[in-house]
């Protein structure tokens, strides 16, 4: 990964690289652990060291962070390595302590962004400062909550903002710990084009084997940075063990990641085309996911029909579906002919599935 893109707004003012790489453990565990990882990251593209001090855990009884004590460790890591430091703040008291310990960048966690009261309290505590604040998306796929948090900080004159896309939780298990729902981040980017957008592939993936690909997709979509959980002994990390990578892996990843160049007419054109193509790839992937889900429901209907000895094909219901879809398609500028062809194909696949179920 090479730094080719124009530096942007406060990233530039704070002398941070672009794309910005933030790395470090999910949680600060011990002083030695913090210092060891920070020193290993000195040879990487990371310019900001992350570590959670106060850990919001979904269920009680897990490691909840070392607390304010860890801020001293972060300060020491900064003094020894020159890396900037960042941690999550979840209330005004955290803010006060973090400012006192010269934490360079604060981030707002996904479980905080869902709560306008807390977001407001934190924004008020930072009123008028030039401290950079990165706002993670809320845990639920709701663009307004995310936008609302950004607006609350802007209104409190906290101008050096960025956002972190860390994925959205779903009840159903998918291949991700948190579904990326790229479209939501793209919509946010369209609304605030100058706001640095950073991907946190670690919390999207929940596992280390897909972190590289997620990071590449983000760079292809012109994200401004990556926040990647990094630990010298990932498997024995006190939190989020499955998703952390070693500093060596991070160095290798950033060497292999391709970054878009953004200069010259042809380059600008290629850049735009590639971004659009990546958007199409993301949507195609979603189409397959959705079709797979639809087919599962069709399978359940097949099993039910089998149990009740009902025929597979029910034309009345099918014609109703088609009529509705043609109308909806019109609203999206999709021709009747296309809707008919597409749904015939989908329907045929459902029938094949159901026949398979009924005959076996
Ligand atoms: C974290 O970054 O370790 C963290 C707790 O993130 P999130 O708020 O995205 O769950
Ligand atoms: Mn984590």
């Amino acid at each position: 990964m090479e730094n080719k893109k124009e530096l942007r707004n406060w990233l530039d003012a704070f002398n941070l690289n672009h794309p910005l790489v933030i790395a470090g453990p999910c949680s600060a565990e011990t002083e030695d652990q913090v210092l060891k990882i920070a020193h290993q990251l000195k040879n990487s593209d990371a310019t900001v060291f992350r570590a959670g001090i106060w850990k919001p855990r979904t269920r009680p009884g897990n490691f909840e962070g070392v607390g304010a004590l860890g801020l001293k460790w972060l300060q020491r890591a900064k003094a020894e390595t020159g890396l900037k430091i960042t941690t999550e703040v979840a209330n005004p008291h955290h803010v006060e302590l973090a400012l006192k310990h010269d934490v360079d960048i604060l981030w707002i966690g996904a479980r905080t962004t869902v709560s306008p009261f807390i977001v407001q309290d934190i924004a008020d505590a930072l009123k008028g400062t030039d401290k950079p604040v990165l706002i993670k998306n809320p845990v639920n796929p709701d663009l307004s909550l995310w936008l609302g948090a950004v607006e609350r900080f802007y209104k409190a004159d906290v101008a050096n903002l960025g956002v972190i896309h860390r994925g959205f939780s779903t009840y159903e298990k998918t291949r991700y710990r948190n579904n990326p729902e790229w479209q939501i981040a793209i919509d946010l980017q369209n609304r605030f084009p100058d706001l640095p957008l950073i991907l946190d592939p670690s919390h999207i993936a929940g596992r280390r084997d897909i972190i590289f690909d997620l990071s590449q997709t983000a760079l292809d979509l012109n994200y401004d940075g990556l926040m990647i959980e990094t630990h010298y002994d990932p498997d024995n990390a006190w939190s989020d063990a499955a998703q952390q990578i070693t500093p060596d892996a991070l160095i290798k990843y950033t060497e292999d990641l391709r970054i878009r160049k953004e200069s010259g007419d042809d380059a600008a054109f290629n850049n735009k085309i590639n971004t659009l193509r990546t958007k199409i790839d993301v949507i195609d992937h979603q189409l397959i996911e959705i079709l797979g889900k639809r087919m599962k429901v069709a399978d359940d209907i097949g099993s039910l029909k089998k149990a009740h000895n009902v025929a597979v094909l029910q034309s009345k219901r099918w014609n109703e579906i088609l009529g509705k879809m043609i109308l909806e398609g019109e609203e999206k500028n999709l021709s009747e002919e296309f809707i008919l062809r597409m749904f015939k194909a989908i329907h045929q696949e459902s029938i094949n599935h159901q026949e398979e179920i009924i005959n076996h």
Side-chain angles (χ1 to χ4, degrees), residues 33-52:
Q33 174 247 18
V34 165
L35 293 175
K36 188 166 169 186
I37 298 169
H39 277 280
Q40 288 176 344
L41 286 169
K42 234 172 40 177
N43 310 316
S44 76
D45 278 0
T47 46
V48 182
F49 179 78
R50 67 149 281 156

Side-chain angles (χ1 to χ4, degrees), residues 77 79 94 119 122 135 187 211 265 271 286 299 316 352 355:
H94 294 168
V119 169
I122 298 174
I135 304 167
D187 288 346
I211 285 177
D265 269 3
N271 188 29
Q286 287 168 341
D299 288 350
K316 181 162 165 280
N352 295 350
E355 278 182 341

Side-chain angles (χ1 to χ4, degrees), residues 97-167:
L97 287 168
L99 294 184
K100 216 157 75 194
H101 289 82
D102 286 326
V103 174
D104 299 289
I105 300 176
L106 308 178
W107 91 74
I108 307 299
R111 291 164 195 76
T112 301
T113 308
V114 290
S115 168
F117 284 137
I118 303 184
V119 169
Q120 191 61 55
D121 284 348
I122 298 174
D124 291 343
L126 282 162
K127 203 168 178 52
T129 64
D130 62 358
K131 189 61 72 180
V133 178
L134 303 175
I135 304 167
K136 287 201 170 196
N137 67 256
V139 279
N140 54 325
D142 184 336
L143 176 62
S144 305
L145 269 176
W146 203 3
L147 286 171
V150 171
E151 287 159 358
R152 282 176 200 280
F153 280 96
Y154 273 141
K155 283 200 165 152
D157 295 321
V158 181
N160 294 327
L161 296 182
V163 287
I164 302 178
H165 174 202
R166 53 76 80 193

